[in-house]
Amino acid sequence: MDVQFDDLIRSALKGRLQAYAPYSKFAVGAAVQCKSGAVFTGSNIENISYGLTICAERIAISSAVAAGQREFVAIAVVADTTEPIMPCGACRQFLAEFSPDLIIVSATVDGNRKIENLSRLLPGPKRGILKNVHTP
Ligand code: THU
């Protein structure tokens, strides 16, 4: 399926408007494009107990999975930085659960953008995990 990166980035920008980031003041938006064509957005949700913070990427994916989607083509991430940001390690593992070959398009609010593939950022995400137990 073709991904309209501009549209997905626009959705991520919309998602970013819902960011709850009173501690870092760093608002992040994400939008995931499902194989079905549906798009789900997310933003970071922080907590006074900082470690409980959830990144925008995981919120977008969780929102999609909650709606019955499990196959993803691409995720857009947007933040107000000079260089596009890339998902943190925890998010990479979380994304790889469903789509190890996910396309990641990251954009700055100014329009600077970078395209990556999750398989390059996190190779072998299931290797050595639950080795002797059933693997999905
Ligand atoms: N954050 C995201 O939501 N996504 C990223 O890719 C990088 C970091 C959030 C977590 C925290 O709320 C804030 O950005 C500062 O790290």
Side-chain angles (χ1 to χ4, degrees), residues 24 26 28 44 46 53-57 77 85-88:
S24 73
F26 185 69
V28 184
N44 50 336
E46 298 188 341
T53 291
I54 309 177
C55 296
E57 295 92 321
V77 186
I85 62 169
M86 283 292 154
C88 74

Side-chain angles (χ1 to χ4, degrees), residues 9-21:
I9 289 168
R10 252 191 298 278
S11 295
L13 274 166
K14 267 193 203 149
R16 185 171 176 270
L17 297 176
Q18 307 302 332
Y20 176 72

Side-chain angles (χ1 to χ4, degrees), residues 18-131:
Q18 307 302 332
Y20 176 72
Y23 307 106
S24 73
K25 312 242 189 292
F26 185 69
V28 184
V32 62
Q33 158 122 34
C34 307
K35 251 192 190 153
S36 66
V39 171
F40 290 83
T41 62
S43 63
N44 50 336
I45 303 179
E46 298 188 341
N47 192 274
I48 194 163
S49 177
Y50 296 175
L52 297 180
T53 291
I54 309 177
C55 296
E57 295 92 321
R58 273 176 284 154
I59 295 293
I61 293 284
S62 300
S63 171
V65 173
Q69 305 286 326
R70 292 187 182 175
E71 293 185 292
F72 309 116
V73 182
I75 190 166
V77 186
V78 177
D80 191 7
T81 44
T82 44
E83 294 296 320
I85 62 169
M86 283 292 154
C88 74
C91 283
R92 292 175 195 194
Q93 185 71 46
F94 197 88
L95 298 168
E97 178 72 19
F98 299 101
S99 307
D101 288 317
L102 192 69
I103 297 166
I104 299 167
V105 53
S106 180
T108 66
V109 166
D110 296 343
N112 187 358
R113 75 164 66 166
K114 185 173 180 187
I115 295 172
E116 261 292 0
N117 193 290
L118 182 57
S119 62
R120 209 184 76 82
L121 298 180
L122 186 71
K126 294 183 185 174
R127 204 172 298 149
I129 296 178
L130 301 181
K131 197 163 177 267

